[in-house]
Amino acid sequence: MKKKPLIGIAGNILIMDGGKFPGMKRTYVNHDYVESIELCGGNAIIIPVKASHDELVRLLELLDGLVLSGGYDIAPDLYGEEPLPQQEFNYPEVDLFYIDLLKIARDLKKPVLGICKGMQAMNVAFGGSLFQDLKVQKEKAFKHSQDALRYQASHKVEIISKTFLSKCFPSEIRVNSFHHQAVKDVAPDFQVAAVALDGVVEAIEYTGDNFMVGVQWHPEMMASFGNKQMQTFFELFIKKCKPEEESK
Ligand code: MN
C-alpha cells in the first residue's frame, strides 16, 4: 500500500468555561484541519500540547510534515513587548510548544504549514514581531475579523511572484479572515508571500534550508467546504511532505 504523508497538526487547549466541567482543559483541533489534510492526500495526526522537548523531537521524527493550527493570541513578551489593552487571551504554554515544534521541524527539515496563529508563531519563533491589534496599530486596516460564515472569503490578497504560493494560486485571490493581530516586522530569513490590499501581511515563506510557509487566513475552513483553490494549496503542501521511503 502506498503510504500517504503523515501530517502532524499542533494541538491546542480549550478551557471549558461552563457546563459540567468548568476549568477542565481539553486537547483539540478544529476538525476542518483533519478533513482538509485527508481530502488532499495526507494522513492527519494530532500532537498534544506538551513541554518535553525530547518527546517532541521523537514525535516529529515520525512525521512527514507539520501543520500549526490557529488559536489564541501570542503572549507579547515573546516578541519583546508589553501588552496593549486590546491584547486578548493568551496561553504562553501553547506558544512555547508551537515555538519548540517550529525549531525542531526546521532542524529536522520537516515541511511546515502555519495557519493564522501558526504563521504568527512562525514569525515570532524566528525573530519577527506582531501587531497586537490591527484596529489601533495599523492605519486604515480593513476588517480582518470577518462576520461571515467561516468558509466565505471576505477580502482579497495579492500573491507575490516567485514564491511557493505563486505556484498554488493566481496573482490575486479572495480569502477568509479571522485575526486581529498580524505580522509586523518579518523575521530574518523570511519573505512576504502575500499581502492584503491594506498592506497587512497575509503570508510568509522561509528562505532558508527548509520548507516553511505561513498563511494568515484559514485555508482549511475553505478547503473542507469544497474550495478548489484551497484544496490545491493543501495538495501541493502535502506533496512536499513525502514519506521517507518514497523520497529516496
Ligand atoms: Mn486578513
Side-chain angles (χ1 to χ4, degrees):
M1 196 178 80
K2 202 176 160 217
K3 275 191 191 170
K4 290 181 175 179
L6 186 59
I7 312 292
I9 309 168
N12 220 317
I13 291 177
L14 185 66
I15 303 173
M16 305 312 291
D17 60 1
K20 287 200 174 181
F21 305 106
M24 180 186 263
K25 294 176 179 177
R26 284 185 172 155
T27 291
Y28 84 103
V29 299
N30 291 329
H31 198 59
D32 290 337
Y33 291 100
V34 176
E35 284 182 324
S36 297
I37 289 168
E38 306 230 317
L39 192 64
C40 300
N43 274 164
I45 186 164
I46 299 169
I47 309 170
V49 176
K50 52 164 89 193
S52 165
H53 176 78
D54 292 347
E55 284 176 32
L56 292 177
V57 170
R58 187 174 161 215
L59 275 174
L60 268 178
E61 280 171 347
L62 302 172
L63 301 175
D64 301 304
L66 173 68
V67 170
L68 293 166
S69 58
Y72 308 121
D73 282 5
I74 293 180
D77 66 305
L78 292 171
Y79 47 94
E81 290 188 11
E82 290 299 298
L84 295 181
Q86 291 77 17
Q87 177 72 32
E88 294 178 5
F89 183 77
N90 55 79
Y91 202 146
E93 189 185 330
V94 179
D95 301 340
L96 294 173
F97 161 71
Y98 272 46
I99 289 170
D100 205 11
L101 277 177
L102 277 157
K103 291 182 174 170
I104 296 167
R106 184 207 38 197
D107 293 347
L108 296 177
K109 304 223 185 319
K110 304 287 182 178
V112 183
L113 166 58
I115 292 176
C116 198
K117 178 212 179 106
M119 160 183 163
Q120 295 170 2
M122 188 181 283
N123 192 52
V124 169
F126 298 109
S129 65
L130 304 178
F131 287 113
Q132 290 187 40
D133 185 76
L134 284 172
K135 267 188 225 157
V136 298
Q137 288 185 293
K138 174 101 181 149
E139 230 180 292
K140 296 189 179 146
F142 298 150
K143 184 178 173 77
H144 286 273
S145 294
Q146 75 183 50
D147 289 304
L149 291 168
R150 71 188 192 281
Y151 51 84
Q152 204 81 55
S154 72
H155 71 71
K156 291 178 189 167
V157 299
E158 273 176 32
I159 306 293
I160 310 295
S161 60
K162 296 187 181 122
T163 57
F164 170 72
L165 285 198
S166 71
K167 293 178 188 145
C168 306
F169 297 118
S171 58
E172 191 176 273
I173 57 168
R174 289 176 51 75
V175 301
N176 58 3
S177 196
F178 293 95
H179 58 113
H180 78 110
Q181 303 199 309
V183 165
K184 187 165 67 180
D185 299 312
V186 179
D189 303 323
F190 278 79
Q191 62 176 353
V192 174
V195 280
L197 305 192
D198 57 4
V200 168
V201 172
E202 289 274 342
I204 56 171
E205 294 180 9
Y206 188 49
T207 57
D209 191 18
N210 188 31
F211 181 78
M212 298 197 281
V213 56
V215 295
Q216 184 57 72
W217 66 93
H218 281 278
E220 83 288 359
M221 295 180 184
M222 302 174 82
S224 61
F225 274 83
N227 183 298
K228 293 280 182 271
Q229 277 183 332
M230 298 306 159
Q231 288 176 359
T232 301
F233 176 58
F234 271 99
E235 282 164 11
L236 293 177
F237 169 70
I238 289 164
K239 276 200 180 134
K240 292 257 180 201
C241 311
K242 284 260 187 254
E244 235 166 54
E245 296 94 288
E246 276 185 53
S247 58
K248 276 176 191 160

